[in-house]
Amino acid sequence: MVDIILENDQKKEEVSAEIEKAFHDVCEAVLKEEKCDFNAQISITLVDNKEIRVINKEQRGIDKVTDVLSFPMLEFDEEGNADGEFEMDGDYVLLGDIVISMERACEQADEFGHSFLRETAFLTAHSMLHLLGYDHVDDKQSEEIMCEKQEKVLNSLGITRD
């Protein structure tokens, strides 16, 4: 089961009930795909380009707009197993924080020729995999694995590029 704490700190893009549902459904589907046997709490914060640029600079030292940032609460070993203790909130493992620029998501949906829903769902799936220990920086094989998993999750939910 997934508990999502959703904060909409932007006013540029509408967050429909369909998109809110997709956040939940995508998080659930990624946990199921990864065979996670725990209840997870995830914080999703929606921002605009200006705010994500500030966060990106503060947290990563990169002074540019990005589409999504992931801040995992768990550390994983090389086999993908969580190291150490789980931080808990009641019955939920605190998995981490996702920050999405809804403004950038809208721009990318137009750029890639698919729906805003598809783009926000994709960014959520991508970020969830990061929260679960996947990384693709300078690793082509890991990037391919992440892409396959993202597409599998989105296709299972009927959230396609069409």
Side-chain angles (χ1 to χ4, degrees):
M1 185 157 59
V2 173
D3 177 37
I4 294 181
I5 299 169
L6 182 63
E7 289 187 48
N8 186 2
D9 292 345
Q10 58 87 47
K11 294 184 169 104
K12 297 198 176 196
E13 302 301 331
E14 180 184 347
V15 181
S16 67
E18 182 181 34
I19 288 174
E20 284 190 34
K21 182 179 182 320
F23 289 138
H24 184 272
D25 292 349
V26 168
C27 290
E28 281 274 355
V30 169
L31 291 172
K32 182 178 177 185
E33 172 66 23
E34 291 300 298
K35 297 175 179 50
C36 295
D37 62 351
F38 55 82
N39 297 328
Q41 185 179 78
I42 300 134
S43 169
I44 301 177
T45 304
L46 310 177
V47 298
D48 58 22
N49 284 348
K50 181 179 176 184
E51 183 62 21
I52 206 159
R53 182 177 183 164
V54 168
I55 297 167
N56 202 19
K57 185 176 182 184
E58 288 174 355
Q59 298 297 317
R60 299 176 63 224
I62 300 173
D63 188 12
K64 72 175 196 173
V65 172
T66 190
D67 49 10
V68 66
L69 294 168
S70 310
F71 300 100
M73 297 287 287
L74 302 178
E75 292 185 29
F76 293 85
D77 63 22
E78 291 180 15
E79 285 81 43
N81 299 311
D83 284 340
E85 299 282 318
F86 291 147
E87 196 166 326
M88 303 290 289
D89 182 7
D91 293 332
Y92 293 91
V93 172
L94 299 178
L95 199 54
D97 302 321
I98 297 172
V99 180
I100 299 173
S101 171
M102 296 300 275
E103 185 177 3
R104 186 70 188 121
C106 185
E107 294 165 357
Q108 288 179 174
D110 289 342
E111 184 181 322
F112 299 135
H114 54 241
S115 70
F116 184 50
L117 172 68
R118 168 60 166 81
E119 187 63 20
T120 56
F122 170 83
L123 294 173
T124 304
H126 183 84
S127 198
M128 279 293 294
L129 290 170
H130 280 305
L131 296 184
L132 292 169
Y134 288 88
D135 193 10
H136 57 80
V137 177
D138 300 326
D139 186 343
K140 190 72 173 159
Q141 184 178 9
S142 292
E143 184 177 2
E144 289 173 7
I145 291 168
M146 284 183 74
C147 286
E148 287 173 17
K149 289 178 178 287
Q150 290 159 180
E151 288 302 316
K152 184 175 182 181
V153 164
L154 296 176
N155 288 338
S156 76
L157 296 170
I159 304 174
T160 62
R161 292 182 186 269
D162 301 330

